[in-house]
Amino acid sequence: MSKRRLMFLGPPGAGKGTQAQRLADDLGIPQISTGDMLREARRKGSELGRKAGEFMDAGELVPDSVVIGIVKERLEEADAQNGFILDGFPRTVAQAEALAAMGVELEGVVNIRVSQAEVLRRLGGRLTCPGCGASYHEEFSPPNVAGICDKCGGELVRRPDDQPDAIRQRLESYQAKTAPLIAFYDRLGSLIDVDGEGAPSLVETRIREAVD
Ligand code: AP5
């Protein structure tokens, strides 16, 4: 099971982060989430974080050159040498081409399919921990103690881009710029379609069966 190079694709709120984390823990390889990396850069107050934040809060994609640079650096780290799960990258055809130019050949692109109604339900109830990045849902996967992170005890918040206007813009960006990757990876023979509706454990089982 070593040296697995997978990517999770899907609209905002499809469950990419939830499922990528579960599978990465299981396989003992890192989950590399560009969304988490950009939010971390913001928390640290770096120049990159400040620039990216404006795009993120508006629900727009951060420019390719910025994201490609941080992924390239991350993939050079020691823990990524035996495999990884990319979560939320690539998100444009230019990013996919840049990944290929880095010499990375993905063995599987897990495309999590969910309806728009489900996306709205999931993002509308999401709570995240600014401290450790853990994600919960008020109704579907609540923390043990309301408002408190099970993993680190931090106070849970709503992401600024989970407001209705930003969600609308994220869905538009997804359709215009990210959805074309489905055909892109299908042509390469690496697309794995997975039904993302149902309980997280059910989706997890489907993904396990699809990538094993
Ligand atoms: P990012 O953080 O990647 O956001 P996203 O793609 O919009 O995805 P989400 O994190 O919202 O959803 P998810 O699919 O991970 O679902 P989750 O598991 O959390 O990116 C944020 C921003 O950063 C972008 O808008 C952009 O500005 C920038 N960015 C990032 N990458 C970039 C890139 N490559 N290029 C350019 N810009 C980039 O689940 C959602 C909720 O549903 C949670 O509450 C969860 O508990 C719940 N849930 C999950 N599964 C289920 C289930 N099966 N049933 C019920 N509830 C569920």
Side-chain angles (χ1 to χ4, degrees):
M1 270 285 186
S2 65
K3 202 89 179 173
R4 306 227 47 189
R5 294 175 166 191
L6 300 164
M7 195 278 256
F8 277 40
L9 183 65
K16 302 182 293 295
T18 302
Q19 297 298 336
Q21 182 67 68
R22 290 178 184 215
L23 188 60
D25 287 351
D26 215 25
L27 298 177
I29 53 177
Q31 169 204 15
I32 298 180
S33 157
T34 41
D36 287 349
M37 287 158 74
L38 292 168
R39 279 185 288 277
E40 176 65 12
R42 286 186 85 178
R43 265 195 297 279
K44 289 185 174 156
S46 69
E47 180 58 20
L48 180 147
R50 266 196 301 277
K51 271 192 210 150
E54 291 169 26
F55 293 98
M56 295 169 81
D57 288 351
E60 286 166 17
L61 293 184
V62 173
D64 287 336
S65 57
V66 174
V67 183
I68 290 166
I70 63 170
V71 170
K72 191 168 189 303
E73 273 183 25
R74 179 67 185 86
L75 290 178
E76 284 166 3
E77 287 178 29
D79 68 338
Q81 304 316 306
N82 287 325
F84 48 78
I85 298 180
L86 289 172
D87 163 12
F89 180 93
R91 230 171 173 105
T92 63
V93 171
Q95 291 178 17
E97 287 169 348
L99 186 66
M102 288 174 215
V104 174
E105 204 175 307
L106 294 170
E107 62 161 300
V109 172
V110 177
N111 180 37
I112 306 183
R113 290 189 177 276
V114 292
S115 67
Q116 185 155 322
E118 183 65 10
V119 162
L120 296 176
R121 247 195 315 273
R122 290 185 187 178
L123 295 182
R126 174 162 57 185
L127 297 168
T128 54
C129 177
C132 72
S135 175
Y136 301 86
H137 190 281
E138 285 172 336
E139 190 185 337
F140 307 130
S141 48
N144 294 329
V145 177
I148 302 295
C149 179
D150 294 347
K151 293 188 181 156
C152 74
E155 200 171 323
L156 301 178
V157 298
R158 284 193 192 283
R159 270 173 42 178
D161 61 346
D162 280 345
Q163 301 304 324
D165 281 353
I167 292 176
R168 210 169 301 121
Q169 181 55 51
R170 285 160 69 198
L171 285 167
E172 274 177 31
S173 299
Y174 170 79
Q175 284 305 338
K177 297 181 176 164
T178 308
L181 287 178
I182 297 173
F184 180 95
Y185 283 113
D186 197 22
R187 273 196 300 275
L188 293 179
S190 40
L191 194 76
I192 302 169
D193 259 319
V194 172
D195 177 2
E197 307 250 350
S201 56
L202 178 62
V203 179
E204 184 181 355
T205 303
R206 289 187 194 125
I207 292 174
R208 280 306 309 229
E209 286 172 0
V211 303
D212 268 350

